[in-house]
Amino acid sequence: YIKESSLALKLAANGKQKGFYRGGKQCFNSYLMCKVQGIYAEVSTKGTNWVAVQAGVSQFVASPVGQPADSVQNYILAGCESNKFLERSLFAPEYGAEESTTPKELRDMGDEHWDVHLETVNETFLLERTPALAMDYVYNLDIPSDVGSEDLSELGNDLESSNLPERALCRFVIGPAQLHLSEGAISRANTVLELIKNYDYLPYIK
């Protein structure tokens, strides 16, 4: 769980240094600011047959800073500030964000069901927790009721070779967002693309 995070893009420029030692020095000018609020990622597993992953972002803002000056305040504004991303987590009682103070791990002790998950964890539910961006991934391995614990132990060592039916679903949901295209936005985007294109680095893997 991350409450706030920011990334400032700056351009390097060579300038003259004042004083007796008038050598050149490098200065950095802010160019673009990206702020993200309310980030979370949760992973829950039950046995070998159920995996659920949920993640999201409450708010994303991209704003111009420095030169060239722009007439708009934000280029991208998605979602809103909220503490709901902490709901049903161990951090929720600290903020008083939910009625029950019992941690999620102690409440969700029952068996999971595919249809129930899709019905309850829908797009509206996901965006209520993180209005800007939400992701839900669920995996289910259908284990027959007549399979015993010894059989499960054997299957756990080689699930890929089993003939048990399995299914997975991944959903991304993007909430309402405001996008402002201006001359400054296009100029900044072109500059960033040009810097990426001309950036020379040693490859991580040859």
Side-chain angles (χ1 to χ4, degrees):
Y1 303 90
I2 302 175
K3 187 173 183 180
E4 292 180 349
S5 179
S6 62
L7 173 64
L9 300 181
K10 299 182 179 181
L11 297 180
N14 295 323
K16 292 183 179 181
Q17 188 173 5
K18 296 181 180 180
F20 182 78
Y21 300 99
R22 295 190 175 182
K25 73 171 185 178
Q26 196 174 48
C27 58
F28 297 91
N29 300 319
S30 297
Y31 198 63
L32 185 67
M33 177 67 72
C34 299
K35 294 183 179 181
V36 183
Q37 189 271 335
I39 311 169
Y40 86 99
E42 293 179 347
V43 180
S44 62
T45 62
K46 293 188 177 180
T48 58
N49 64 321
W50 183 268
V51 178
V53 182
Q54 290 183 13
V57 175
S58 297
Q59 185 182 55
F60 175 79
V61 181
S63 307
V65 290
Q67 298 297 325
D70 209 331
S71 58
V72 298
Q73 184 177 1
N74 300 315
Y75 292 147
I76 302 176
L77 177 58
C80 61
E81 292 188 12
S82 173
N83 281 333
K84 287 188 176 181
F85 72 101
L86 295 172
E87 286 185 354
R88 304 184 67 199
S89 74
L90 296 176
F91 301 98
E94 177 182 353
Y95 290 88
E98 57 183 13
E99 296 179 357
S100 175
T101 58
T102 304
K104 173 184 177 182
E105 287 76 6
L106 299 180
R107 295 198 309 267
D108 299 342
M109 301 295 291
D111 295 333
E112 298 286 355
H113 298 279
W114 180 273
D115 294 335
V116 174
H117 178 85
L118 296 184
E119 182 179 350
T120 56
V121 185
N122 50 33
E123 288 78 4
T124 302
F125 174 86
L126 293 170
L127 288 182
E128 283 180 354
R129 188 171 185 182
T130 51
L133 175 66
M135 186 275 292
D136 176 68
Y137 169 81
V138 59
Y139 168 83
N140 176 234
L141 179 66
D142 191 6
I143 299 178
S145 58
D146 57 348
V147 176
S149 57
E150 295 182 357
D151 298 328
L152 287 177
S153 300
E154 295 179 0
L155 289 173
N157 297 327
D158 191 14
L159 285 175
E160 294 184 358
S161 301
S162 68
N163 293 325
L164 296 177
E166 56 184 349
R167 49 189 172 178
L169 176 66
C170 184
R171 294 174 292 171
F172 286 90
V173 185
I174 300 176
Q178 297 179 9
L179 177 63
H180 299 280
L181 289 179
S182 63
E183 185 177 351
I186 297 175
S187 175
R188 282 175 167 82
N190 290 333
T191 300
V192 172
L193 292 176
E194 190 67 21
L195 292 174
I196 295 175
K197 179 180 178 180
N198 296 331
Y199 183 65
D200 187 17
Y201 66 94
L202 294 175
Y204 298 107
I205 300 177
K206 294 183 179 181

